[in-house]
Amino acid sequence: MSAGDAEPAELWNDDHVPPVSRHQAGKAVRALVGLALLALGGWYGWEYAAAWAHFHNAPRVAVVIDSVDYTKRAENATRITVDQLVAGQDVTDTVDDPITAPARLSPGEQEFVLVDTSRPGHVLFPSQLHWVAGALPALAIALGLAGLLSGVIGLLHPPGGRRGA
């Protein structure tokens, strides 16, 4: 039987693929997934680190919610402004990260925020600096680094001592 007469199942057969190639492909996928996790964790971790640097020693100030713009999902706000009284004048500030702000805020409601005096006009809710907010990017970075390293080491040192099959 020639290749032209073969059944489709006979043309594509996993027996033709050497096991080392499948092993190497798995290691390459692990390295790529690790790299993606590392990048994602680094992105969100950088944002958390920047917020922590600005607000970890910031004073808690009572404010009144001025306006809240919500997306179609009621839990996530896209923009939040708050009013605070500073030296007898009403000052409007914007929450730096409205996506992770507390859910279902209403205009007129009183809340506490962290105010960074070095960045006027910017506030953050205390719950946004919770340790979990920093732990999730750190976990993604750790898992990404582990996947990337194990994938690269697996590609460089395959089982049986053969390199680059």
Side-chain angles (χ1 to χ4, degrees):
M1 177 182 269
S2 68
D5 298 334
E7 294 292 322
E10 293 175 8
L11 290 176
W12 182 259
N13 188 345
D14 283 340
D15 293 337
H16 296 295
V17 179
V20 174
S21 296
R22 280 186 244 134
H23 176 74
Q24 295 298 86
K27 296 292 184 176
V29 167
R30 186 181 305 167
L32 289 174
V33 168
L35 186 61
L37 277 173
L38 190 62
L40 188 66
W43 176 263
Y44 287 108
W46 181 259
E47 287 185 5
Y48 177 79
W52 189 85
H54 285 286
F55 293 102
H56 77 282
N57 285 332
R60 287 174 55 115
V61 176
V63 296
V64 175
I65 304 296
D66 180 42
S67 68
V68 182
D69 295 331
Y70 283 103
T71 59
K72 290 181 182 178
R73 291 180 41 211
E75 298 89 32
N76 291 340
T78 55
R79 180 173 167 79
I80 302 172
T81 58
V82 296
D83 289 330
Q84 65 172 317
L85 196 60
V86 178
Q89 294 189 8
D90 196 22
V91 176
T92 301
D93 297 320
T94 303
V95 175
D96 273 2
D97 185 8
I99 301 285
T100 61
R104 295 182 176 84
L105 296 170
S106 301
E109 197 177 322
Q110 184 171 352
E111 290 283 335
F112 286 96
V113 295
L114 302 172
V115 177
D116 182 15
T117 55
S118 67
R119 296 178 62 219
H122 297 272
V123 298
L124 205 64
F125 289 97
S127 62
Q128 292 176 285
L129 288 184
H130 194 268
W131 69 271
V132 172
L136 291 177
L139 178 64
I141 290 170
L143 290 174
L145 193 57
L148 180 63
L149 287 177
S150 85
V152 168
I153 289 170
L155 287 170
L156 295 176
H157 303 287
R162 298 181 306 238
R163 290 183 180 244

